[in-house]
Amino acid sequence: MSVPVFLADDLSGQEIVLSGPEGRHAATVRRLRAGERVDLTDGRGAVAECVVRDVARDSLRLEVLGRRTVPAPAPRLVVVQGLPKGDRGELAVEMMTEAGVDVIVPWAAARCVTQWKGDRAGKALTRWRSTAREAGKQARRFHLPEVTEQATTAEVAALLRGAAVAAVLHEEAEAPLSQLALPASGDIVTVVGPEGGITGEEVERFREAGATTALLGPTVLRTSTAGVAAAAVLLTRSGRW
């Protein structure tokens, strides 16, 4: 059984008290007991390997057995995700986090049925970030993915210009994603359109920014699953898997 992972901002000291929501979850939901192993991380690569010494109602007292730093993976994988309908956005974030995507960019594409505006934007972004946080712990990721603010098409184009390599998933592309030449470092950026697809104007704008169109496979995937499928291809070919 895998050692459970919890998040903590301060990993210093020979003893650490895990309290707040993380401590409550460990004590009351996971029902951890004295003598069990726990890993703490700050989500940025630092890890404290601990053993539970005491359990309170909503906290744990942990003894640090050792510390280590996990290097950030390279090249970085960035997925620009057109906003899906309903809770499929959280599903996409969960699967991409489990797979190993490093940055997830919510994109307000022209054909998005879902619109993030006003208070709804803040709540939706909070749900995506919370999903990434929980999925990251479950997957034992010591570098949690970044979920950025919602991006406009212009902001996505600027992101593509700064990438080491960039691809737009498109069903009319001729070259498969599996043949994309990948760098050893820098950012690999992949754009996933919404349910209604990417408009011709968006595709042209992204091409002008340096991206190529790529075919993911012979079938048309839903926007909520295309990102994780693309990640599997790219993580395998980059040597990260």
Side-chain angles (χ1 to χ4, degrees), residues 22 42 50 58 60 64 82 91 100 126 132 157-158 166 187 194 198 208 232 235:
E22 293 289 281
D42 61 359
C50 306
D58 57 359
L60 303 179
V64 178
L91 175 63
T126 296
D187 287 353
I198 301 177
E208 291 174 354
L235 289 168

Side-chain angles (χ1 to χ4, degrees), residues 61-236:
R61 183 172 65 84
L62 307 171
E63 178 186 350
V64 178
L65 303 177
R67 290 184 173 83
R68 57 193 172 99
T69 300
V70 177
R76 276 202 328 171
L77 181 55
V78 181
V79 175
V80 176
Q81 175 67 60
L83 302 180
K85 294 184 293 186
D87 61 359
R88 288 191 170 273
E90 288 96 297
L91 175 63
V93 170
E94 180 180 59
M95 292 191 295
M96 287 191 286
T97 298
E98 291 174 356
V101 172
D102 301 294
V103 183
I104 301 170
V105 181
W107 172 37
R111 291 177 177 165
C112 283
V113 175
T114 297
Q115 298 291 323
W116 285 9
K117 295 181 179 179
D119 291 342
R120 182 177 184 177
K123 292 177 180 178
L125 183 58
T126 296
R127 287 196 301 271
W128 279 35
R129 287 174 171 168
S130 176
T131 298
R133 174 187 173 99
E134 296 307 313
K137 291 191 298 180
Q138 184 68 31
R140 289 184 52 77
R141 286 189 60 171
F142 299 120
H143 286 272
L144 293 184
E146 175 189 0
V147 180
T148 73
E149 296 286 336
Q150 178 181 200
T152 63
T153 296
E155 289 168 334
V156 172
L159 179 66
L160 298 176
R161 279 192 289 271
V165 66
V168 179
L169 301 183
H170 200 278
E171 66 272 14
E172 295 180 2
E174 296 182 0
L177 184 66
S178 59
Q179 292 182 5
L180 188 69
L182 300 183
S185 60
D187 287 353
I188 303 169
V189 182
T190 305
V191 179
V192 178
E195 280 91 352
I198 301 177
T199 67
E201 181 181 349
E202 288 167 337
V203 171
E204 186 57 33
R205 191 164 188 177
F206 294 159
R207 280 179 176 150
E208 291 174 354
T212 59
T213 55
L215 185 65
L216 187 54
T219 60
V220 178
L221 278 67
R222 299 194 71 153
T223 184
S224 54
T225 54
V228 70
V233 172
L234 296 171
L235 289 168
T236 300

